[in-house]
């Protein structure tokens, strides 16, 4: 069936590639956007880099993935300091640390590299239709699961079907909204119930899968590298549904030792790995607790070779120690101080706007983050996101906040409690302390409730008011779909706005870079 569809011919280049070539030559898109878009449309990274070099008349960045192993030695054990958490079901992972262990066991259809280019992985290639509503993924042949089974289309169909079943509780529902439809019913929270549309994912043959969408999505391959989209075996549920107890995967390592809060040990599989030579014999993840100083001490004593995260409280110490190299990398990590719009007093938009008006983003950045980051704009889109649209800044307005509070029925002010778990460091409570000082000027009294990180994640999506850290995603539409689409599992604000959903769908479906940014103006304004 795939061969009869001209739009999906493996020999035919998507017409969007020609448009992107024109845009790059005329200076209408950046080199980065050209590379990202043309690879999403099916070009290999090597071809995309070559085209860009020809158009720009200079040799640009090499393929970072293929050169990563140059000069690397074989063998040895890597010891890494990082919290070791439960690792049951990859589709419901809510901490990226879990996937840092699991991704050596179970793998992804694609891989987005440090240059923000998405490359094939378990999927060997892909082709979108001209309207970006149909995607053909050609799966890699000869890949073996660690139990001896062949990796095939049944595995991919199983994973998509499971992700998009609301009973699974996977955050992936927010990424693949174009594969869902409303049932006409509502859940206990009043959100519309959704289900996978008929034939949303189809097996064409043993190594070909077709994805059918109700609306265009350019970022389909990119979405498949979100950390809860690891591909598990088709019998994952039949065999217990617990990766830590039954670590069947296509990756180069197997789990030989695992204890939450202590240690995870990965050992290289004996059989040859489909992806080529595997250099390390073993990888150990060692949990050193929540004290940032313990991780620094472990580095100095050579107990570990690296750590997952450097806390701001230990930054100066780390910089002063010979042999420790601190590298700063821009990302879209964000601390979101959010309100649940279905809970009093935040069900009144005037209260939400009043609190927003008290916030001074520049003070937040300077005090809580030591100036290391980007000034927030109250819409969860970072200036380094490719679809970012610059809006006029929202300035602190204490008198305006007081007026809104009075209109909402709180002329004498209001008392509220905000939760934080310091899940990424004490900068979280520092951020709330800055907001507390500013909000007090308008009569808003914030009580800061600092919780153990594990306890925070038990209530993060239930508490009326809290600070949650959202990790980096290469696209704004990815994080917005996960966090603010109506009815998705990670919608911690309980936000339900059909106008926002429609605007996000429209931005997600827009191919032209400049047009997409214009569409994002509406999305960002709605959130603001």
């Amino acid at each position: 069936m795939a061969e009869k569809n001209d739009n999906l011919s493996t020999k035919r280049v998507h017409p969007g590639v020609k448009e992107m070539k024109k845009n790059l030559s005329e200076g209408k898109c950046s080199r980065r956007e050209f590379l990202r878009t043309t690879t999403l449309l099916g070009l290999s990274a090597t071809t995309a880099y070559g085209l860009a070099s020809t158009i720009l008349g200079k040799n640009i960045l090499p393929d970072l993935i293929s050169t990563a192993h140059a000069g690397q030695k074989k063998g040895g054990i890597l010891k890494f300091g990082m919290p070791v958490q439960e690792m049951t079901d990859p589709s419901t992972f809510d901490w990226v640390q879990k996937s840092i262990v699991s991704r050596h066991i179970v793998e992804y259809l694609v891989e987005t590299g440090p240059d923000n280019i998405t490359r094939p992985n378990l999927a060997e290639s892909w082709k979108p239709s001209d309207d970006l509503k149909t995607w053909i993924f050609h799966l890699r042949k000869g890949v073996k699961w660690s139990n001896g089974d062949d990796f095939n289309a049944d595995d991919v169909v199983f994973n998509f079907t499971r992700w998009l079943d609301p009973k699974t509780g996977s955050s992936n529902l927010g990424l693949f909204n174009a594969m869902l439809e409303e049932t006409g019913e509502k859940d206990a929270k009043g959100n519309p119930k959704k289900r996978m549309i008929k034939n949303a994912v189809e097996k064409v043959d043993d190594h070909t899968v077709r994805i059918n969408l109700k609306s265009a999505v350019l970022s389909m391959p990119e979405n498949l590298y979100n950390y809860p989209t690891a591909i598990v075996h088709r019998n994952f549920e039949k065999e217990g549904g617990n990766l830590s107890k039954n670590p069947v995967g296509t990756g180069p390592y197997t789990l030989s030792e695992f204890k939450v809060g202590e240690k995870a040990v990965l050992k290289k599989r004996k059989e040859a790995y489909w992806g080529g030579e595997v250099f390390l014999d073993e990888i150990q993840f060692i949990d050193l607790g929540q004290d940032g100083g313990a991780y620094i001490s472990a580095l100095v004593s050579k107990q570990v070779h690296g750590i997952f995260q450097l806390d701001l409280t230990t930054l100066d110490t780390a910089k002063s120690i010979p042999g420790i190299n601190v590298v700063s990398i821009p990302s879209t990590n964000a601390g979101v101080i959010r309100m649940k719009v279905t809970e009093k007093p935040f069900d009144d938009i005037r209260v939400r706007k009043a609190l927003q008006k008290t916030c001074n983003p520049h003070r937040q950045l300077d005090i809580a983050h030591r100036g290391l980051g980007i000034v927030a704009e109250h819409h969860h889109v970072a200036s380094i996101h490719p679809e970012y649209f610059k809006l006029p800044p929202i300035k602190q307005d204490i008198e305006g906040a007081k007026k809104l509070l009075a209109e909402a029925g709180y002329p004498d002010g209001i008392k509220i409690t905000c939760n934080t778990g310091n899940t990424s460091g004490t900068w979280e409570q520092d951020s709330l302390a800055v907001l507390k000082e500013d909000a007090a000027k308008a009569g808003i009294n914030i009580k800061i409730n600092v919780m153990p990180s594990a306890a925070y994640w038990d209530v993060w999506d239930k508490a009326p008011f809290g600070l949650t850290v959202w990790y980096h995603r290469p696209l704004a539409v990815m994080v917005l779909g996960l966090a603010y689409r109506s009815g998705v599992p990670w919608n911690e604000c309980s936000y339900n706005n059909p106008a926002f959903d429609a605007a996000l769908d429209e931005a997600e479906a827009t191919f032209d870079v400049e047009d997409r940014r214009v569409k994002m103006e509406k999305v960002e304004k709605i959130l603001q």
Side-chain angles (χ1 to χ4, degrees):
M1 292 175 68
E3 293 176 356
K4 293 179 182 179
N5 188 333
D6 290 340
N7 289 348
L8 301 175
S9 169
T10 56
K11 296 181 180 179
R12 187 174 184 272
V13 176
H14 192 280
V17 173
K18 183 178 180 180
E19 183 177 338
M20 290 304 297
K21 288 168 66 177
K22 183 173 181 290
N23 287 346
L24 183 62
S25 64
E26 295 176 355
K28 293 181 179 179
C29 74
S30 67
R31 178 185 68 188
R32 176 174 297 199
E33 188 64 20
F34 172 84
L35 293 169
R36 174 186 165 264
T37 303
T38 54
T39 50
L40 290 178
L41 294 175
L43 290 190
S44 70
T46 303
T47 300
Y49 270 107
L51 272 176
S53 296
T54 300
I55 293 168
L56 297 175
K58 60 181 179 180
N59 190 31
I60 61 174
L61 288 172
D63 183 330
L64 298 177
I65 300 300
S66 64
T67 59
H69 290 154
Q72 189 170 339
K73 297 180 180 179
K74 297 180 185 178
I77 298 173
L78 174 67
K79 297 180 180 180
F80 198 69
M82 185 185 75
V84 175
Q85 303 159 332
E86 64 84 15
M87 196 174 65
T88 304
D89 182 356
S91 74
T92 60
F93 281 177
D94 48 9
W95 287 63
V96 74
Q97 291 94 315
K98 298 177 184 181
S99 72
I100 290 175
V101 179
S102 70
R103 69 179 60 246
H104 301 281
I105 305 166
V106 287
E107 300 179 295
Y108 298 79
L109 290 175
V110 303
E111 182 174 357
T112 302
D115 54 358
N116 215 32
I117 304 303
T118 300
R119 295 169 170 81
N121 200 46
L122 288 177
E124 195 170 46
S125 63
W126 55 81
K127 281 285 182 182
S129 59
D130 288 0
D131 62 5
L132 301 177
K133 290 183 180 180
T134 306
W135 292 77
I136 291 286
F137 284 85
H138 297 283
L139 308 180
R140 199 173 297 277
K141 297 177 181 179
V143 177
K144 291 281 188 181
W145 291 96
S146 54
N147 66 359
D149 291 343
D150 289 321
F151 164 71
N152 59 36
D154 293 329
D155 296 303
V156 176
V157 171
F158 166 78
N159 278 269
F160 267 101
T161 303
R162 188 166 178 270
W163 295 337
L164 301 182
D165 183 349
K167 294 178 182 177
T168 303
S170 175
S171 62
N172 294 330
L173 278 169
L175 288 178
F176 302 110
N177 188 64
M179 299 175 73
L180 299 171
E181 64 182 1
E182 293 186 9
T183 64
E185 301 176 350
K186 293 189 176 181
D187 62 19
K189 297 180 180 179
N191 295 315
K193 288 185 177 180
K194 296 182 180 181
R195 63 190 172 203
M196 189 167 69
I197 60 177
K198 187 177 180 181
N199 298 325
V201 55
E202 297 179 283
K203 174 183 176 180
V204 177
D205 58 43
D206 282 347
H207 291 92
T208 310
V209 172
R210 177 167 41 240
I211 306 297
N212 301 303
L213 311 177
K214 66 181 182 184
S215 58
V217 177
L218 171 64
S219 60
M220 190 68 193
E222 250 168 351
N223 289 345
L224 290 167
Y225 196 55
N226 189 44
Y227 68 87
T229 60
I231 301 296
V232 297
H233 190 279
R234 53 192 174 272
N235 291 331
F236 178 75
E237 289 183 340
K238 294 179 182 177
E239 295 176 356
N242 188 326
L243 187 67
S244 63
K245 293 182 178 179
N246 187 32
V248 175
T250 57
Y253 291 88
T254 188
L255 191 65
S256 67
E257 184 181 343
F258 184 79
K259 192 165 185 180
V260 173
E262 293 185 17
K263 196 174 189 180
V265 178
L266 299 165
K267 290 191 175 181
K268 184 168 65 174
R269 284 170 53 180
K270 294 179 181 179
E271 60 272 20
Y273 173 53
W274 69 263
E277 196 159 22
V278 179
F279 290 81
L280 288 168
D281 293 328
E282 187 175 307
I283 304 173
Q284 296 182 7
F285 296 91
I286 302 169
D287 194 322
L288 299 169
Q290 287 189 288
D291 180 9
Y295 286 89
I296 295 294
S297 297
L299 275 174
V300 174
S301 65
K302 299 190 182 340
Q303 180 186 352
V304 297
H305 301 106
I307 61 175
F308 169 70
Q309 188 166 266
L310 185 66
D311 191 286
L312 279 176
T313 60
T314 56
L315 178 61
D316 292 338
T317 301
K319 286 182 175 179
S320 68
I321 299 173
I324 292 183
N325 185 27
V326 179
V327 180
S328 179
I329 300 174
S331 81
T332 66
N333 268 31
V336 180
I337 304 173
R338 59 81 182 153
M339 298 158 273
K340 189 174 279 292
V341 301
T342 55
E343 302 285 338
K344 289 186 177 297
F346 306 113
D347 57 344
D348 190 323
I349 192 172
R350 293 170 295 188
V351 174
R352 302 200 300 271
K353 284 188 173 182
L355 186 58
Q356 183 189 62
K357 283 180 178 291
T358 69
C359 180
N360 184 330
H362 293 278
R363 265 176 41 86
Q364 285 280 341
L365 183 62
D366 292 341
I367 297 174
H369 302 276
R370 300 191 188 182
L372 300 173
I374 303 168
V375 175
E377 299 179 18
H378 304 290
H379 52 57
H380 210 157
V381 180
S383 58
I384 62 173
H385 275 134
E387 65 270 63
Y388 167 80
F389 185 95
K390 186 170 181 57
L391 297 176
I394 293 181
K395 297 180 180 179
Q396 187 182 53
D397 179 7
I398 300 300
E399 292 306 312
K402 289 179 180 178
K403 182 180 178 182
L404 283 170
L405 281 178
E407 291 176 3
Y410 303 99
D412 299 322
I414 191 172
K415 294 181 179 180
I416 52 180
T417 298
C418 190
N419 292 340
T420 181
N422 285 341
T423 58
S424 290
T426 55
W427 64 262
E428 295 181 32
Q429 69 186 80
D430 294 341
S431 182
L432 290 180
V434 175
L435 181 63
K436 178 182 174 73
E437 289 179 2
D438 288 338
K441 299 171 187 174
I444 301 175
N445 185 352
I446 300 176
K447 178 184 177 182
I448 302 172
N449 180 30
V450 181
M451 310 171 66
S453 60
Y456 177 79
W457 288 120
D458 287 337
V459 299
W460 76 283
D461 59 346
K462 302 177 183 67
F465 193 28
L467 188 155
T468 300
V469 175
W470 284 81
Y471 284 114
H472 169 82
R473 266 88 181 177
L475 297 179
V477 292
M478 291 175 72
V479 70
L480 298 184
L482 288 166
Y484 306 101
R485 275 197 206 278
S486 302
V488 297
W490 282 2
N491 186 336
E492 59 176 332
C493 302
S494 297
Y495 191 56
N496 186 349
N497 186 343
F500 169 81
D501 293 344
L504 182 59
D505 286 346
E506 195 172 346
E508 194 175 45
T510 303
F511 170 78
D512 184 83
V513 181
E514 293 302 322
D515 288 347
R516 195 182 325 126
R517 290 195 187 103
V518 171
K519 306 269 189 203
M520 284 297 291
E521 178 184 13
K522 183 177 181 180
V523 174
E524 293 173 13
K525 279 185 174 179
I526 291 173
L527 284 183
Q528 271 196 348

